[in-house]
mmCIF file of all heavy atoms in Angstrom:
data_model
loop_
_atom_site.group_PDB
_atom_site.id
_atom_site.type_symbol
_atom_site.label_atom_id
_atom_site.label_comp_id
_atom_site.label_asym_id
_atom_site.label_seq_id
_atom_site.Cartn_x
_atom_site.Cartn_y
_atom_site.Cartn_z
ATOM 1 N N SER A 46 3.581 21.065 10.036
ATOM 2 C CA SER A 46 3.111 21.558 11.349
ATOM 3 C C SER A 46 3.900 22.667 11.864
ATOM 4 O O SER A 46 3.336 23.480 12.738
ATOM 5 C CB SER A 46 3.219 20.341 12.402
ATOM 6 O OG SER A 46 4.598 20.050 12.555
ATOM 7 N N SER A 64 11.116 11.188 -0.268
ATOM 8 C CA SER A 64 10.779 12.055 0.920
ATOM 9 C C SER A 64 11.552 13.388 0.691
ATOM 10 O O SER A 64 12.760 13.399 0.486
ATOM 11 C CB SER A 64 11.357 11.365 2.213
ATOM 12 O OG SER A 64 11.162 12.364 3.291
ATOM 13 N N GLU A 74 16.121 32.272 11.925
ATOM 14 C CA GLU A 74 17.328 32.563 12.498
ATOM 15 C C GLU A 74 17.482 34.062 12.705
ATOM 16 O O GLU A 74 17.929 34.552 13.712
ATOM 17 C CB GLU A 74 18.414 32.121 11.667
ATOM 18 C CG GLU A 74 19.162 30.851 12.204
ATOM 19 C CD GLU A 74 20.136 30.261 11.182
ATOM 20 O OE1 GLU A 74 20.877 30.978 10.550
ATOM 21 O OE2 GLU A 74 20.021 29.000 10.995
ATOM 22 N N LYS A 75 17.020 34.798 11.630
ATOM 23 C CA LYS A 75 17.205 36.282 11.600
ATOM 24 C C LYS A 75 16.385 36.892 12.741
ATOM 25 O O LYS A 75 16.762 37.892 13.338
ATOM 26 C CB LYS A 75 16.573 36.821 10.327
ATOM 27 C CG LYS A 75 17.488 36.628 9.094
ATOM 28 C CD LYS A 75 16.967 37.232 7.779
ATOM 29 C CE LYS A 75 17.469 36.554 6.633
ATOM 30 N NZ LYS A 75 16.492 36.637 5.556
ATOM 31 N N GLU A 82 3.333 33.678 11.376
ATOM 32 C CA GLU A 82 2.908 34.220 10.029
ATOM 33 C C GLU A 82 3.844 34.011 8.954
ATOM 34 O O GLU A 82 3.531 33.610 7.828
ATOM 35 C CB GLU A 82 2.491 35.764 10.212
ATOM 36 C CG GLU A 82 2.032 36.415 8.949
ATOM 37 C CD GLU A 82 0.618 35.894 8.479
ATOM 38 O OE1 GLU A 82 -0.014 35.149 9.150
ATOM 39 O OE2 GLU A 82 0.366 36.345 7.290
ATOM 40 N N VAL A 83 5.196 34.239 9.232
ATOM 41 C CA VAL A 83 6.244 34.046 8.293
ATOM 42 C C VAL A 83 6.308 32.585 7.960
ATOM 43 O O VAL A 83 6.453 32.210 6.729
ATOM 44 C CB VAL A 83 7.596 34.523 8.917
ATOM 45 C CG1 VAL A 83 8.816 34.273 7.935
ATOM 46 C CG2 VAL A 83 7.535 36.064 9.158
ATOM 47 N N ALA A 85 3.939 30.443 8.037
ATOM 48 C CA ALA A 85 2.771 29.972 7.333
ATOM 49 C C ALA A 85 2.862 30.385 5.824
ATOM 50 O O ALA A 85 2.532 29.711 4.855
ATOM 51 C CB ALA A 85 1.448 30.532 7.968
ATOM 52 N N ALA A 114 -3.583 5.951 -0.757
ATOM 53 C CA ALA A 114 -4.143 6.731 0.268
ATOM 54 C C ALA A 114 -3.350 7.915 0.548
ATOM 55 O O ALA A 114 -2.149 8.005 0.263
ATOM 56 C CB ALA A 114 -4.395 5.983 1.551
ATOM 57 N N VAL A 119 -2.429 16.747 11.351
ATOM 58 C CA VAL A 119 -3.507 17.603 11.746
ATOM 59 C C VAL A 119 -3.126 18.332 12.947
ATOM 60 O O VAL A 119 -3.670 19.377 13.272
ATOM 61 C CB VAL A 119 -4.817 16.977 11.881
ATOM 62 C CG1 VAL A 119 -5.320 16.459 10.532
ATOM 63 C CG2 VAL A 119 -4.806 15.785 12.918
ATOM 64 N N ALA A 132 -5.369 21.604 4.055
ATOM 65 C CA ALA A 132 -6.018 22.052 2.815
ATOM 66 C C ALA A 132 -5.519 21.353 1.522
ATOM 67 O O ALA A 132 -6.235 20.888 0.691
ATOM 68 C CB ALA A 132 -5.990 23.558 2.618
ATOM 69 N N TRP A 141 -7.887 13.034 -6.534
ATOM 70 C CA TRP A 141 -7.521 11.737 -6.891
ATOM 71 C C TRP A 141 -8.463 10.642 -6.370
ATOM 72 O O TRP A 141 -8.260 9.483 -6.594
ATOM 73 C CB TRP A 141 -6.110 11.430 -6.288
ATOM 74 C CG TRP A 141 -5.020 12.305 -6.851
ATOM 75 C CD1 TRP A 141 -4.988 13.076 -7.958
ATOM 76 C CD2 TRP A 141 -3.712 12.624 -6.194
ATOM 77 N NE1 TRP A 141 -3.909 13.811 -8.076
ATOM 78 C CE2 TRP A 141 -2.997 13.518 -7.025
ATOM 79 C CE3 TRP A 141 -3.054 12.097 -5.066
ATOM 80 C CZ2 TRP A 141 -1.733 13.955 -6.718
ATOM 81 C CZ3 TRP A 141 -1.756 12.518 -4.749
ATOM 82 C CH2 TRP A 141 -1.123 13.468 -5.579
ATOM 83 N N PHE A 159 10.220 2.811 12.801
ATOM 84 C CA PHE A 159 9.693 1.689 12.026
ATOM 85 C C PHE A 159 9.997 1.760 10.587
ATOM 86 O O PHE A 159 9.612 0.919 9.812
ATOM 87 C CB PHE A 159 8.113 1.781 12.190
ATOM 88 C CG PHE A 159 7.694 1.260 13.548
ATOM 89 C CD1 PHE A 159 7.589 2.118 14.597
ATOM 90 C CD2 PHE A 159 7.202 -0.010 13.764
ATOM 91 C CE1 PHE A 159 7.229 1.689 15.812
ATOM 92 C CE2 PHE A 159 6.785 -0.404 14.869
ATOM 93 C CZ PHE A 159 6.731 0.364 16.010
ATOM 94 N N VAL A 173 8.327 0.914 25.374
ATOM 95 C CA VAL A 173 8.360 2.204 26.002
ATOM 96 C C VAL A 173 8.951 3.110 25.062
ATOM 97 O O VAL A 173 10.006 3.000 24.505
ATOM 98 C CB VAL A 173 9.102 2.293 27.376
ATOM 99 C CG1 VAL A 173 9.628 3.626 27.690
ATOM 100 C CG2 VAL A 173 8.133 1.711 28.438
ATOM 101 N N GLY A 179 11.386 19.558 19.867
ATOM 102 C CA GLY A 179 11.430 20.980 20.261
ATOM 103 C C GLY A 179 10.345 21.416 21.133
ATOM 104 O O GLY A 179 10.528 22.309 22.032
ATOM 105 N N LEU A 184 6.929 10.306 27.766
ATOM 106 C CA LEU A 184 7.212 8.864 27.883
ATOM 107 C C LEU A 184 5.845 8.106 27.773
ATOM 108 O O LEU A 184 4.830 8.575 28.386
ATOM 109 C CB LEU A 184 7.751 8.612 29.254
ATOM 110 C CG LEU A 184 9.294 8.424 29.447
ATOM 111 C CD1 LEU A 184 9.700 8.320 30.821
ATOM 112 C CD2 LEU A 184 9.857 7.348 28.461
ATOM 113 N N ARG A 188 1.252 -0.389 23.558
ATOM 114 C CA ARG A 188 0.951 -1.784 23.733
ATOM 115 C C ARG A 188 0.608 -2.454 22.392
ATOM 116 O O ARG A 188 0.414 -3.629 22.219
ATOM 117 C CB ARG A 188 -0.259 -2.037 24.677
ATOM 118 C CG ARG A 188 0.039 -1.473 26.020
ATOM 119 C CD ARG A 188 -0.687 -2.087 27.188
ATOM 120 N NE ARG A 188 -0.272 -1.564 28.445
ATOM 121 C CZ ARG A 188 0.765 -2.054 29.173
ATOM 122 N NH1 ARG A 188 1.382 -3.128 28.791
ATOM 123 N NH2 ARG A 188 1.032 -1.425 30.383
ATOM 124 N N GLY A 205 14.245 19.527 23.721
ATOM 125 C CA GLY A 205 14.880 20.281 22.590
ATOM 126 C C GLY A 205 14.889 21.792 22.790
ATOM 127 O O GLY A 205 15.868 22.487 22.505
ATOM 128 N N PHE A 208 17.821 22.576 25.078
ATOM 129 C CA PHE A 208 18.961 22.572 24.300
ATOM 130 C C PHE A 208 19.060 23.884 23.559
ATOM 131 O O PHE A 208 20.151 24.556 23.570
ATOM 132 C CB PHE A 208 19.073 21.474 23.260
ATOM 133 C CG PHE A 208 19.757 20.194 23.822
ATOM 134 C CD1 PHE A 208 19.029 19.260 24.486
ATOM 135 C CD2 PHE A 208 21.027 19.937 23.527
ATOM 136 C CE1 PHE A 208 19.549 18.056 24.892
ATOM 137 C CE2 PHE A 208 21.681 18.765 23.967
ATOM 138 C CZ PHE A 208 20.974 17.833 24.683
ATOM 139 N N LEU A 217 25.809 30.386 21.068
ATOM 140 C CA LEU A 217 26.209 29.491 19.948
ATOM 141 C C LEU A 217 25.160 29.620 18.800
ATOM 142 O O LEU A 217 25.588 29.397 17.599
ATOM 143 C CB LEU A 217 26.110 28.034 20.479
ATOM 144 C CG LEU A 217 27.146 27.584 21.472
ATOM 145 C CD1 LEU A 217 26.832 26.341 22.095
ATOM 146 C CD2 LEU A 217 28.557 27.631 20.916
ATOM 147 N N ALA A 231 31.047 18.173 22.289
ATOM 148 C CA ALA A 231 32.022 17.250 21.692
ATOM 149 C C ALA A 231 33.397 17.647 21.797
ATOM 150 O O ALA A 231 34.398 16.884 21.688
ATOM 151 C CB ALA A 231 31.639 16.806 20.332
ATOM 152 N N PRO A 272 33.329 29.357 33.202
ATOM 153 C CA PRO A 272 34.096 28.176 32.687
ATOM 154 C C PRO A 272 34.108 28.136 31.152
ATOM 155 O O PRO A 272 33.409 28.907 30.488
ATOM 156 C CB PRO A 272 33.224 26.994 33.145
ATOM 157 C CG PRO A 272 31.900 27.511 33.371
ATOM 158 C CD PRO A 272 31.969 29.062 33.545
ATOM 159 N N GLU A 280 28.471 19.546 30.165
ATOM 160 C CA GLU A 280 27.857 19.255 31.357
ATOM 161 C C GLU A 280 26.381 19.313 31.310
ATOM 162 O O GLU A 280 25.641 18.521 31.839
ATOM 163 C CB GLU A 280 28.405 20.220 32.486
ATOM 164 C CG GLU A 280 27.654 20.180 33.817
ATOM 165 C CD GLU A 280 27.623 18.906 34.557
ATOM 166 O OE1 GLU A 280 28.156 17.845 34.138
ATOM 167 O OE2 GLU A 280 26.978 18.731 35.617
ATOM 168 N N PRO A 359 -13.909 11.109 7.052
ATOM 169 C CA PRO A 359 -14.502 11.950 5.981
ATOM 170 C C PRO A 359 -13.890 13.268 6.035
ATOM 171 O O PRO A 359 -13.616 13.819 7.110
ATOM 172 C CB PRO A 359 -15.981 11.946 6.361
ATOM 173 C CG PRO A 359 -16.161 11.045 7.514
ATOM 174 C CD PRO A 359 -14.922 10.650 8.054
#
Side-chain angles (χ1 to χ4, degrees):
S46 64
S64 176
E74 253 169 49
K75 288 186 203 147
E82 177 66 11
V83 174
V119 292
W141 298 342
F159 285 78
V173 156
L184 263 175
R188 300 208 177 270
F208 268 87
L217 296 169
E280 170 60 2

